Amino acid sequence: MSRRIAVLGAGVAGLCVATELAARGIAVTLHDRAPAPGPHACSWWAGGMLASDCEGETAEEPVVRLGRAAADWWQAQGVPVTRGGTLAVALGRDRGELARLARRTANHVALDADAVAAIEPQLAGQVRQALHFPHEAHLDPRAALGTLRAGLAARGIAISAEAPVGPTVDCRGLAARDRLPDLRGVRGEMLVLRAPEVTLRRPVRLLHPRNPLYIVPRGGGVFMLGATQIESGGRGPVTARAVLELLSAAYALHPAFGEAEVLELGADARPAFPDNLPRIRRRGDTILVNGLFRHGFLLAPALARMTAGLICEDTKPEMMDEDQAER
Amino acid sequence: MPVFYGTEVASRLMLGTAQYPSPAVLADAFRRSGAGIATVSVRRESGGERAGGDFRALVQELGVRVLPNTAGCHSVREAVTTAQMARELFGTDWIKLEVIGHADTLQPDPFGLLEAAHILTSEGFRVFPYTTEDVVLADRLLDAGCEVLMPWGAPIGTGLGLTNLYGLRTLRAQFPGVPMVVDAGLGLPSQAAQALEMGYDAVLLNTAVARAGDPAAMAEGFARAVEAGRLAFEADPMEPRDMAAPSTPVIGTAFLS
């Protein structure tokens, strides 16, 4: 008889862990109070950038290294992944930010005005210098969550609202604060626009000392604008200030965003540990996978593989801190 | 060490808590800086219940005195409300008062600053006003009950250093007994040392450390610079002069050429 493992929480972490475990022949049950991925999970609001190189600007080294394998993993699950890289740009007086990003990251190519125009024709004139991170990719997070859920359903694993019994992998994100006292929320706000006049082939990061912005093309003239990063666990509605900052940055990049339809506003709190790195912890017969911060889609595949390795082969994961006693 | 409102602080370096890559890096930077005071913005944490509480707890765990600020407030009313909220959240009557008057330079609004300072001191706050190097404004702020002044070195976040040396010297000389902190605009430790050499009691900075590639190392760099600057000030520096003055007399020495 095969081993049974319950996965608690069907956000990006839980779905990735359940997928990896099921692929290794474990009898997985999946538990969440909601029947399908949706706005209750913070991964619902994600940008879906697989930006391991760019994130190296401020993130610790494991994020860059572990994130590199993400695009291949998602593609292997049948999720459409666009591999056009990321374009980092700065306007006017903020050009110094580009030099700073170049110094602190790797695997980028400096583009002049002609080179920018060649890969993103609509930014010609507006953007005179940029950094291209060609190895990066992006996906549609909601579609990706749906694909994983469908893949699990095809194996007979449906999301159950009942409480898990027996050995459990706890992937509840911020809701697991009851067991992870050093977990905190970092608020993010985003919006979704339909701007049929705008064509961008890859995510664009607009560098700015106060209000950095990224724009992720979702196809069909739809764009996701994100994301604020505020030290607060508040999950309340998007503030006017956040909308103002995000929209004015987008408008500065491309005036046609001024004519866009606002389809959606979203806000949630990302689960993070003090160093903003994820952790795997074991407490009795529960394994906790948490703290993916702003790197859910980038790091969940690596964390899922580590978790499966721990369960199936008893290999101690790199991101595991065993000594953290429950407080 | 400087005394602010009757409280002696442990360091002449004060650090902001915004823009660090992570709270762990922030804590490292504080450890290596030995900073005695942490400034914290309260403006975006007004979401009620537990919002912002985690970060407040992290800051309080740094084990240094917290100086909440009204960063980002553009009106008197906003600044006063933020100060009142800060008193509730942090349980301190210390407040770094910022009333911003200009969107591009984030220059203090001198009129709003003075009005807000009057209101807050009358409500029992210990006000640390973020001001320009203007001597008349400084005088009025002291009249309003401020016992510390925080003149800017340069606009917030620019890293330009002390852009008006004459103004800062004049201000320092004008009010010799008043504790003064150069706040904002510092980018490098040498600029902090310069402020201390001029007799400023402390410096406050944030971006220069938080946005450095290695914030903790930069924090230590500033700590050493502040110490060096203060030693130089206390050592009574020599006066500069136009012509060379050899440290060994030339007259009477043998020429061997």
Side-chain angles (χ1 to χ4, degrees), chain A residues 100 209, chain B residues 16 18-20 156-159 186-187 205-212:
Chain A
R100 179 189 135 93
Chain B
Q19 298 185 315
Y20 290 80
I156 295 169
T158 57
L186 300 183
L205 50 114
N206 188 344
T207 312
V209 167
R211 302 258 289 161

Side-chain angles (χ1 to χ4, degrees), chain B residues 36-223:
Chain B
I37 290 179
T39 59
V40 186
S41 160
V42 290
R43 191 142 184 285
R44 292 192 122 190
E45 300 180 359
S46 52
E49 337 120 82
R50 216 176 51 197
D54 296 337
F55 188 68
R56 275 201 306 284
L58 282 164
V59 168
Q60 275 159 341
E61 276 170 27
L62 295 172
V64 301
R65 177 127 196 169
V66 173
L67 174 60
N69 67 45
T70 63
C73 291
H74 289 254
S75 71
V76 172
R77 180 187 292 261
E78 216 180 350
V80 168
T81 311
T82 305
Q84 289 161 342
M85 198 189 305
R87 179 152 67 178
E88 295 289 311
L89 289 172
F90 289 97
T92 174
D93 52 12
W94 282 20
I95 186 77
K96 184 191 140 188
L97 179 60
E98 272 184 41
V99 183
I100 299 301
H102 189 254
D104 280 355
T105 61
L106 302 179
Q107 174 168 343
D109 168 1
F111 310 99
L113 180 67
L114 187 59
E115 189 184 338
H118 271 290
I119 296 169
L120 292 173
T121 52
S122 73
E123 291 182 10
F125 281 94
R126 312 294 182 103
V127 177
F128 294 63
Y130 168 60
T131 180
T132 64
E133 66 280 10
D134 189 290
V135 171
V136 179
L137 175 57
D139 199 28
R140 300 287 168 86
L141 288 166
L142 296 172
D143 282 347
C146 298
E147 294 178 19
V148 179
L149 295 174
M150 301 184 97
W152 65 351
I156 295 169
T158 57
L160 291 172
L162 310 181
T163 51
N164 182 357
L165 282 175
Y166 165 78
L168 286 169
R169 278 207 187 93
T170 308
L171 180 69
R172 181 64 282 183
Q174 205 65 35
F175 307 99
V178 176
M180 283 192 209
V181 182
V182 170
D183 173 11
L186 300 183
L188 285 169
S190 53
Q191 297 158 354
Q194 192 181 19
L196 273 289
E197 287 163 8
M198 288 162 64
Y200 279 89
D201 297 275
V203 291
L204 194 169
L205 50 114
N206 188 344
T207 312
V209 167
R211 302 258 289 161
D214 183 343
M218 189 61 87
E220 187 179 332
F222 270 100

